[in-house]
Amino acid sequence: MSELVFQAIQRTTEALECHVDREWILGFSGGKDSTALLKIFVSALRKVKRFPQKVSVIFCDTGVENPVIDSYVKGLFCLLNSEFENLGLPIDLIMLKAPVEERYFVKVIGRGYPTPTNSFRWCTQSLRIKPVSRFIENSFADDVVVLIGSRKAESQQRRRSIEKMGGGHWQKQVEGNRRYDLFLPILDLSLADVWDSIFLLDYPRSIDPKKLESIYKDASGECPIIKSPDAPPCASGRFGCWTCTVVRKDRSATKMIEAGHDQLLPYLEFRNWISKFRDDLDMRWLVRRNGVPRPGPFSLMGRKTILEKVRELERAVGQQIIDDEETIEIKRLWDLDANHPQEKLC
Ligand code: SF4
Protein backbone atom coordinates (compact mmCIF):
# COMPACT_ATOMS: atom_id res chain seq x y z
CA MET A 1 0.00 0.00 0.00
CA SER A 2 1.29 3.45 -0.81
CA GLU A 3 2.91 5.73 1.74
CA LEU A 4 0.14 8.26 1.10
CA VAL A 5 -2.49 5.87 2.47
CA PHE A 6 -0.47 5.28 5.64
CA GLN A 7 -0.02 9.02 5.97
CA ALA A 8 -3.78 9.55 5.61
CA ILE A 9 -4.40 7.01 8.42
CA GLN A 10 -1.75 8.62 10.58
CA ARG A 11 -3.11 12.11 9.90
CA THR A 12 -6.61 10.95 10.85
CA THR A 13 -5.39 9.16 13.99
CA GLU A 14 -3.59 12.29 15.14
CA ALA A 15 -6.63 14.43 14.36
CA LEU A 16 -8.89 12.08 16.35
CA GLU A 17 -6.50 12.20 19.30
CA CYS A 18 -6.23 15.98 19.13
CA HIS A 19 -9.98 16.54 18.80
CA VAL A 20 -11.35 13.79 20.99
CA ASP A 21 -13.80 16.13 22.68
CA ARG A 22 -15.41 17.10 19.44
CA GLU A 23 -18.15 15.50 17.41
CA TRP A 24 -17.20 13.94 14.08
CA ILE A 25 -19.37 13.64 10.99
CA LEU A 26 -18.27 11.67 7.94
CA GLY A 27 -20.06 12.34 4.64
CA PHE A 28 -20.64 9.07 2.79
CA SER A 29 -22.00 8.75 -0.75
CA GLY A 30 -21.31 5.08 -1.37
CA GLY A 31 -18.77 5.87 -4.09
CA LYS A 32 -15.12 4.93 -4.04
CA ASP A 33 -13.72 8.13 -2.51
CA SER A 34 -16.02 8.15 0.48
CA THR A 35 -15.54 4.38 0.85
CA ALA A 36 -11.76 4.88 0.99
CA LEU A 37 -12.34 7.68 3.47
CA LEU A 38 -14.48 5.43 5.67
CA LYS A 39 -11.87 2.66 5.59
CA ILE A 40 -9.11 5.09 6.51
CA PHE A 41 -11.25 6.63 9.23
CA VAL A 42 -12.16 3.26 10.78
CA SER A 43 -8.51 2.17 10.64
CA ALA A 44 -7.60 5.34 12.54
CA LEU A 45 -10.47 5.03 15.00
CA ARG A 46 -9.37 1.50 15.89
CA LYS A 47 -5.95 2.89 16.84
CA VAL A 48 -6.97 5.64 19.24
CA LYS A 49 -7.10 5.13 23.00
CA ARG A 50 -10.21 7.24 23.53
CA PHE A 51 -13.11 7.63 21.11
CA PRO A 52 -14.59 11.03 20.28
CA GLN A 53 -17.82 11.80 22.09
CA LYS A 54 -19.92 11.29 18.97
CA VAL A 55 -19.26 9.97 15.47
CA SER A 56 -21.84 9.94 12.69
CA VAL A 57 -21.62 8.61 9.16
CA ILE A 58 -24.24 10.36 7.06
CA PHE A 59 -25.71 9.45 3.71
CA CYS A 60 -28.00 11.80 1.87
CA ASP A 61 -30.95 9.93 0.35
CA THR A 62 -32.08 12.14 -2.52
CA GLY A 63 -35.00 9.84 -3.36
CA VAL A 64 -33.74 9.79 -6.97
CA GLU A 65 -30.36 8.19 -6.43
CA ASN A 66 -29.05 5.76 -9.03
CA PRO A 67 -31.04 2.64 -7.98
CA VAL A 68 -27.99 0.39 -8.07
CA ILE A 69 -25.98 2.57 -5.70
CA ASP A 70 -29.08 3.32 -3.62
CA SER A 71 -29.77 -0.31 -2.82
CA TYR A 72 -26.04 -0.97 -2.37
CA VAL A 73 -25.67 1.82 0.21
CA LYS A 74 -28.87 0.99 2.07
CA GLY A 75 -27.81 -2.67 2.31
CA LEU A 76 -24.34 -1.64 3.36
CA PHE A 77 -25.66 0.64 6.10
CA CYS A 78 -27.52 -2.32 7.67
CA LEU A 79 -24.34 -4.43 7.63
CA LEU A 80 -22.17 -1.60 8.95
CA ASN A 81 -24.57 -1.02 11.80
CA SER A 82 -24.09 -4.55 13.12
CA GLU A 83 -20.37 -4.54 12.40
CA PHE A 84 -19.71 -1.30 14.29
CA GLU A 85 -21.76 -2.61 17.19
CA ASN A 86 -19.76 -5.86 17.25
CA LEU A 87 -16.47 -3.96 17.03
CA GLY A 88 -17.57 -1.65 19.84
CA LEU A 89 -17.12 1.40 17.62
CA PRO A 90 -19.41 4.27 18.58
CA ILE A 91 -20.49 5.17 15.05
CA ASP A 92 -24.07 6.19 14.22
CA LEU A 93 -25.23 5.64 10.65
CA ILE A 94 -27.68 8.29 9.62
CA MET A 95 -29.75 8.65 6.43
CA LEU A 96 -30.64 12.24 5.67
CA LYS A 97 -33.46 13.33 3.41
CA ALA A 98 -34.59 16.72 2.19
CA PRO A 99 -37.90 17.92 3.64
CA VAL A 100 -40.85 16.96 1.46
CA GLU A 101 -41.19 20.41 -0.18
CA GLU A 102 -37.59 20.27 -1.41
CA ARG A 103 -37.59 16.81 -2.94
CA TYR A 104 -36.93 16.38 -6.62
CA PHE A 105 -40.38 15.43 -7.91
CA VAL A 106 -42.20 17.77 -5.54
CA LYS A 107 -40.22 20.62 -7.06
CA VAL A 108 -40.60 19.43 -10.66
CA ILE A 109 -44.15 18.09 -10.64
CA GLY A 110 -45.55 20.14 -7.75
CA ARG A 111 -43.96 23.56 -8.29
CA GLY A 112 -43.19 23.03 -11.97
CA TYR A 113 -39.44 23.58 -11.71
CA PRO A 114 -37.79 22.80 -15.05
CA THR A 115 -35.47 19.85 -14.56
CA PRO A 116 -31.97 21.10 -13.68
CA THR A 117 -29.42 22.32 -16.20
CA ASN A 118 -25.98 23.77 -15.75
CA SER A 119 -27.41 27.28 -15.68
CA PHE A 120 -30.29 26.38 -13.32
CA ARG A 121 -28.82 23.71 -11.09
CA TRP A 122 -31.16 23.93 -8.13
CA CYS A 123 -30.89 20.23 -7.33
CA THR A 124 -27.51 19.83 -5.64
CA GLN A 125 -28.34 22.45 -3.01
CA SER A 126 -31.85 21.14 -2.33
CA LEU A 127 -31.19 17.44 -2.46
CA ARG A 128 -27.67 17.02 -1.13
CA ILE A 129 -26.05 20.07 0.36
CA LYS A 130 -28.92 21.54 2.39
CA PRO A 131 -29.86 18.32 4.24
CA VAL A 132 -26.22 17.97 5.28
CA SER A 133 -25.96 21.66 6.22
CA ARG A 134 -29.11 21.39 8.33
CA PHE A 135 -27.78 18.30 10.03
CA ILE A 136 -24.55 20.07 10.88
CA GLU A 137 -26.32 23.23 11.93
CA ASN A 138 -29.03 21.64 14.05
CA SER A 139 -27.85 18.37 15.46
CA PHE A 140 -24.59 19.04 17.13
CA ALA A 141 -22.87 21.01 19.79
CA ASP A 142 -20.42 23.76 18.94
CA ASP A 143 -17.37 21.76 18.08
CA VAL A 144 -17.79 19.74 14.92
CA VAL A 145 -15.31 18.14 12.55
CA VAL A 146 -16.76 17.16 9.17
CA LEU A 147 -14.82 14.69 7.01
CA ILE A 148 -15.31 14.39 3.30
CA GLY A 149 -13.53 12.34 0.66
CA SER A 150 -12.54 15.15 -1.71
CA ARG A 151 -9.35 14.61 -3.69
CA LYS A 152 -7.36 17.01 -5.81
CA ALA A 153 -6.71 14.33 -8.43
CA GLU A 154 -10.42 13.78 -9.00
CA SER A 155 -10.65 16.55 -11.61
CA GLN A 156 -9.19 19.92 -12.53
CA GLN A 157 -12.38 21.57 -11.28
CA ARG A 158 -12.17 19.78 -7.95
CA ARG A 159 -8.50 20.75 -7.60
CA ARG A 160 -9.33 24.39 -8.29
CA SER A 161 -12.26 24.34 -5.89
CA ILE A 162 -10.10 22.80 -3.12
CA GLU A 163 -7.31 25.27 -3.76
CA LYS A 164 -9.75 28.16 -3.67
CA MET A 165 -10.71 27.04 -0.19
CA GLY A 166 -7.10 27.09 0.98
CA GLY A 167 -5.84 23.79 -0.37
CA GLY A 168 -4.95 22.18 2.97
CA HIS A 169 -6.26 19.14 4.82
CA TRP A 170 -8.12 21.42 7.23
CA GLN A 171 -10.45 24.13 6.06
CA LYS A 172 -12.92 26.42 7.75
CA GLN A 173 -16.50 26.20 6.61
CA VAL A 174 -19.50 28.29 7.56
CA GLU A 175 -23.01 26.90 7.84
CA GLY A 176 -25.57 29.52 8.84
CA ASN A 177 -24.24 30.97 12.05
CA ARG A 178 -21.97 28.06 12.63
CA ARG A 179 -18.32 27.73 11.71
CA TYR A 180 -16.87 24.28 11.67
CA ASP A 181 -13.75 22.44 10.58
CA LEU A 182 -13.73 20.54 7.36
CA PHE A 183 -11.16 17.76 7.38
CA LEU A 184 -10.02 16.26 4.06
CA PRO A 185 -7.65 13.43 4.94
CA ILE A 186 -7.50 11.86 1.47
CA LEU A 187 -6.88 15.10 -0.39
CA ASP A 188 -3.59 13.87 -1.91
CA LEU A 189 -4.58 10.33 -2.76
CA SER A 190 -4.46 9.15 -6.36
CA LEU A 191 -7.08 6.90 -7.90
CA ALA A 192 -4.79 3.90 -7.33
CA ASP A 193 -4.37 4.85 -3.65
CA VAL A 194 -8.15 5.02 -3.29
CA TRP A 195 -8.62 1.50 -4.64
CA ASP A 196 -5.68 0.26 -2.58
CA SER A 197 -7.35 1.59 0.57
CA ILE A 198 -10.62 -0.08 -0.38
CA PHE A 199 -9.06 -3.44 -1.21
CA LEU A 200 -6.25 -3.63 1.32
CA LEU A 201 -7.53 -2.08 4.54
CA ASP A 202 -9.32 -4.70 6.62
CA TYR A 203 -12.15 -2.73 8.19
CA PRO A 204 -15.04 -2.31 7.86
CA ARG A 205 -15.35 -5.86 6.61
CA SER A 206 -18.95 -5.24 5.50
CA ILE A 207 -17.59 -3.38 2.50
CA ASP A 208 -17.18 -5.79 -0.38
CA PRO A 209 -14.49 -4.21 -2.58
CA LYS A 210 -15.27 -6.46 -5.54
CA LYS A 211 -18.94 -5.53 -5.44
CA LEU A 212 -18.10 -1.84 -5.27
CA GLU A 213 -15.60 -2.22 -8.07
CA SER A 214 -18.11 -3.99 -10.27
CA ILE A 215 -20.87 -1.40 -9.82
CA TYR A 216 -18.40 1.44 -10.00
CA LYS A 217 -16.45 0.21 -12.94
CA ASP A 218 -17.35 2.89 -15.43
CA ALA A 219 -17.97 5.86 -13.19
CA SER A 220 -15.77 8.22 -11.27
CA GLY A 221 -16.24 10.89 -8.65
CA GLU A 222 -18.96 11.48 -6.13
CA CYS A 223 -21.69 14.02 -5.63
CA PRO A 224 -20.70 16.98 -3.48
CA ILE A 225 -22.50 17.24 -0.17
CA ILE A 226 -20.57 20.22 1.11
CA LYS A 227 -20.80 23.58 -0.64
CA SER A 228 -18.61 23.62 -3.71
CA PRO A 229 -20.77 25.29 -6.31
CA ASP A 230 -18.22 25.04 -9.07
CA ALA A 231 -17.90 21.30 -8.69
CA PRO A 232 -18.97 19.34 -11.76
CA PRO A 233 -22.49 17.88 -11.84
CA CYS A 234 -22.76 14.67 -9.96
CA ALA A 235 -23.70 12.57 -12.95
CA SER A 236 -20.95 13.53 -15.38
CA GLY A 237 -19.48 10.06 -15.47
CA ARG A 238 -20.23 9.52 -11.80
CA PHE A 239 -22.92 8.27 -9.51
CA GLY A 240 -25.73 10.67 -9.00
CA CYS A 241 -29.45 11.01 -9.55
CA TRP A 242 -31.01 8.85 -12.23
CA THR A 243 -33.07 11.91 -13.20
CA CYS A 244 -30.02 14.10 -13.85
CA THR A 245 -30.49 16.42 -16.82
CA VAL A 246 -27.51 18.61 -15.98
CA VAL A 247 -25.42 16.42 -18.23
CA ARG A 248 -26.40 16.04 -21.86
CA LYS A 249 -25.97 12.28 -21.76
CA ASP A 250 -25.97 10.12 -18.66
CA ARG A 251 -22.83 8.22 -19.58
CA SER A 252 -22.63 6.62 -16.17
CA ALA A 253 -26.05 4.94 -16.45
CA THR A 254 -25.42 4.03 -20.08
CA LYS A 255 -22.20 2.27 -19.20
CA MET A 256 -23.77 0.53 -16.25
CA ILE A 257 -26.54 -0.78 -18.52
CA GLU A 258 -23.94 -1.98 -21.01
CA ALA A 259 -22.24 -3.72 -18.12
CA GLY A 260 -25.42 -5.66 -17.34
CA HIS A 261 -27.49 -3.45 -15.02
CA ASP A 262 -30.55 -3.77 -17.25
CA GLN A 263 -32.83 -2.59 -14.45
CA LEU A 264 -31.55 0.96 -15.10
CA LEU A 265 -32.89 1.08 -18.66
CA PRO A 266 -36.44 2.32 -17.84
CA TYR A 267 -34.93 5.01 -15.59
CA LEU A 268 -32.58 6.14 -18.32
CA GLU A 269 -35.43 6.23 -20.84
CA PHE A 270 -37.41 8.44 -18.47
CA ARG A 271 -34.44 10.75 -18.00
CA ASN A 272 -33.97 11.06 -21.75
CA TRP A 273 -37.69 11.73 -22.19
CA ILE A 274 -37.89 14.45 -19.53
CA SER A 275 -34.70 16.03 -20.79
CA LYS A 276 -36.48 16.72 -24.11
CA PHE A 277 -39.82 17.47 -22.47
CA ARG A 278 -38.32 20.35 -20.46
CA ASP A 279 -37.63 22.13 -23.76
CA ASP A 280 -41.21 21.84 -25.01
CA LEU A 281 -42.34 25.43 -24.55
CA ASP A 282 -45.99 24.43 -24.94
CA MET A 283 -45.62 22.74 -21.58
CA ARG A 284 -44.12 25.79 -19.82
CA TRP A 285 -45.44 29.09 -18.57
CA LEU A 286 -44.42 32.01 -20.75
CA VAL A 287 -42.88 33.93 -17.85
CA ARG A 288 -41.02 32.96 -14.74
CA ARG A 289 -42.55 33.26 -11.29
CA ASN A 290 -40.54 36.45 -10.75
CA GLY A 291 -42.11 38.03 -13.84
CA VAL A 292 -39.05 37.71 -16.10
CA PRO A 293 -40.33 37.08 -19.65
CA ARG A 294 -38.46 33.81 -20.17
CA PRO A 295 -39.82 30.23 -20.18
CA GLY A 296 -41.03 29.57 -16.67
CA PRO A 297 -42.30 26.56 -14.70
CA PHE A 298 -44.03 23.61 -16.30
CA SER A 299 -47.73 24.29 -16.77
CA LEU A 300 -50.17 22.16 -14.81
CA MET A 301 -50.73 20.12 -17.95
CA GLY A 302 -46.97 19.58 -18.22
CA ARG A 303 -46.74 18.58 -14.57
CA LYS A 304 -49.62 16.12 -14.92
CA THR A 305 -47.97 14.58 -17.98
CA ILE A 306 -44.75 14.09 -16.01
CA LEU A 307 -46.63 12.53 -13.11
CA GLU A 308 -48.30 10.07 -15.47
CA LYS A 309 -44.88 9.16 -16.89
CA VAL A 310 -43.49 8.59 -13.40
CA ARG A 311 -46.44 6.33 -12.55
CA GLU A 312 -45.74 4.36 -15.74
CA LEU A 313 -42.13 4.04 -14.68
CA GLU A 314 -43.15 2.87 -11.21
CA ARG A 315 -45.22 0.11 -12.80
CA ALA A 316 -42.34 -0.84 -15.10
CA VAL A 317 -39.74 -1.11 -12.33
CA GLY A 318 -42.08 -2.29 -9.55
CA GLN A 319 -40.87 0.47 -7.19
CA GLN A 320 -42.60 3.45 -5.64
CA ILE A 321 -40.81 6.61 -6.78
CA ILE A 322 -43.15 9.31 -5.48
CA ASP A 323 -44.47 8.43 -2.04
CA ASP A 324 -47.84 9.35 -0.52
CA GLU A 325 -46.50 12.34 1.41
CA GLU A 326 -44.97 13.72 -1.79
CA THR A 327 -48.16 13.07 -3.76
CA ILE A 328 -50.20 15.04 -1.21
CA GLU A 329 -47.72 17.92 -1.39
CA ILE A 330 -47.77 17.86 -5.19
CA LYS A 331 -51.60 18.09 -5.22
CA ARG A 332 -51.47 20.94 -2.68
CA LEU A 333 -49.07 22.86 -4.92
CA TRP A 334 -51.26 22.23 -7.98
CA ASP A 335 -54.22 23.75 -6.11
CA LEU A 336 -52.14 26.84 -5.32
CA ASP A 337 -51.26 27.32 -9.00
CA ALA A 338 -54.69 26.44 -10.40
CA ASN A 339 -55.73 30.09 -10.60
CA HIS A 340 -52.36 31.52 -11.56
CA PRO A 341 -52.70 34.03 -14.46
CA GLN A 342 -50.14 32.04 -16.49
CA GLU A 343 -52.32 28.92 -16.23
CA LYS A 344 -55.15 30.77 -17.89
CA LEU A 345 -52.87 31.34 -20.90
CA CYS A 346 -51.95 27.68 -21.30
S1 SF4 B 1 -26.82 14.15 -9.93
FE1 SF4 B 1 -27.51 15.80 -11.27
S2 SF4 B 1 -29.68 16.08 -10.65
FE2 SF4 B 1 -28.65 15.00 -8.97
S3 SF4 B 1 -27.98 16.59 -7.57
FE3 SF4 B 1 -26.25 16.13 -8.94
S4 SF4 B 1 -26.41 17.63 -10.63
FE4 SF4 B 1 -28.38 17.55 -9.55
Side-chain angles (χ1 to χ4, degrees):
M1 203 154 30
S2 103
E3 191 52 34
L4 286 175
V5 175
F6 289 115
Q7 283 172 10
I9 297 172
Q10 188 55 27
R11 182 178 301 118
T12 309
T13 309
E14 285 165 12
L16 280 163
E17 278 165 349
C18 255
H19 302 286
V20 72
D21 294 327
R22 301 174 73 180
E23 295 178 355
W24 289 66
I25 301 170
L26 185 148
F28 186 73
S29 73
K32 63 183 178 355
D33 292 337
S34 61
T35 301
L37 174 69
L38 181 62
K39 286 212 140 189
I40 284 168
F41 180 74
V42 170
S43 305
L45 195 62
R46 283 168 53 81
K47 287 167 81 176
V48 297
K49 291 194 186 68
R50 195 153 72 85
F51 294 135
Q53 54 167 291
K54 190 168 174 71
V55 182
S56 305
V57 172
I58 55 174
F59 172 74
C60 204
D61 180 3
T62 59
V64 283
E65 206 63 28
N66 175 315
V68 173
I69 195 87
D70 186 63
S71 74
Y72 164 74
V73 173
K74 287 176 180 164
L76 179 61
F77 258 40
C78 290
L79 296 173
L80 286 172
N81 226 344
S82 328
E83 182 176 353
F84 290 152
E85 212 176 298
N86 292 338
L87 289 172
L89 295 177
I91 302 178
D92 293 330
L93 293 145
I94 297 170
M95 289 259 171
L96 303 175
K97 201 158 185 165
V100 66
E101 65 278 7
E102 299 209 355
R103 297 196 197 143
Y104 184 87
F105 280 118
V106 172
K107 287 214 159 187
V108 172
I109 301 178
R111 296 264 300 155
Y113 270 51
T115 61
T117 56
N118 241 333
S119 56
F120 185 42
R121 195 174 139 194
W122 50 266
C123 47
T124 319
Q125 278 287 337
S126 293
L127 301 176
R128 300 182 191 279
I129 293 174
K130 275 203 207 156
V132 173
S133 308
R134 279 190 205 105
F135 181 79
I136 294 169
E137 220 181 337
N138 299 333
S139 309
F140 290 88
D142 282 341
D143 256 354
V144 181
V145 178
V146 178
L147 292 104
I148 55 170
S150 286
R151 292 183 303 114
K152 286 184 187 165
E154 197 191 327
S155 68
Q156 280 303 326
Q157 251 172 318
R158 184 54 57 93
R159 177 184 295 274
R160 275 198 297 274
S161 144
I162 291 169
E163 279 164 3
K164 218 160 76 186
M165 289 162 74
H169 293 104
W170 287 90
Q171 302 185 357
K172 290 280 178 206
Q173 193 90 358
V174 182
E175 218 54 84
N177 294 328
R178 160 150 318 164
R179 287 177 72 81
Y180 64 90
D181 285 318
L182 195 59
F183 181 38
L184 301 93
I186 67 164
L187 196 64
D188 313 309
L189 264 53
S190 67
L191 183 61
D193 296 329
V194 163
W195 283 113
D196 269 4
S197 315
I198 295 169
F199 271 89
L200 302 177
L201 294 175
D202 286 337
Y203 292 94
R205 289 194 191 280
S206 310
I207 292 169
D208 177 350
K210 287 220 158 67
K211 188 168 177 183
L212 181 64
E213 188 188 40
S214 80
I215 60 173
Y216 217 116
K217 220 172 182 174
D218 301 305
S220 65
E222 295 168 35
C223 292
I225 55 163
I226 295 288
K227 278 182 243 156
S228 64
D230 53 346
C234 324
S236 60
R238 63 189 62 212
F239 292 122
C241 308
W242 58 265
T243 48
C244 189
T245 50
V246 171
V247 283
R248 229 164 39 82
K249 285 192 174 156
D250 189 340
R251 278 176 287 136
S252 183
T254 306
K255 284 184 179 166
M256 288 175 85
I257 291 164
E258 283 165 10
H261 295 285
D262 295 348
Q263 72 273 38
L264 296 181
L265 188 57
Y267 292 95
L268 181 63
E269 284 171 350
F270 176 93
R271 187 218 83 99
N272 293 344
W273 171 80
I274 203 168
S275 179
K276 288 207 179 87
F277 188 77
R278 82 180 302 286
D279 296 331
D280 181 350
L281 297 186
D282 290 342
M283 292 293 157
R284 306 268 297 267
W285 288 357
L286 299 175
V287 299
R288 295 184 180 164
R289 282 189 193 273
N290 61 7
V292 173
R294 293 260 180 85
F298 286 117
S299 63
L300 282 177
M301 193 202 282
R303 295 178 221 175
K304 285 175 185 167
T305 307
I306 300 170
L307 183 60
E308 274 164 30
K309 272 277 181 187
V310 175
R311 296 302 184 208
E312 258 175 44
L313 177 62
E314 286 179 329
R315 286 191 289 277
V317 297
Q319 288 280 336
Q320 189 180 45
I321 292 168
I322 298 178
D323 67 23
D324 295 348
E325 191 192 13
E326 291 161 354
T327 305
I328 291 169
E329 180 62 8
I330 286 170
K331 299 268 161 73
R332 188 186 73 80
L333 292 165
W334 284 0
D335 287 345
L336 289 180
D337 274 344
N339 292 316
H340 194 284
Q342 280 297 309
E343 268 309 312
K344 307 244 160 59
L345 300 174
C346 293

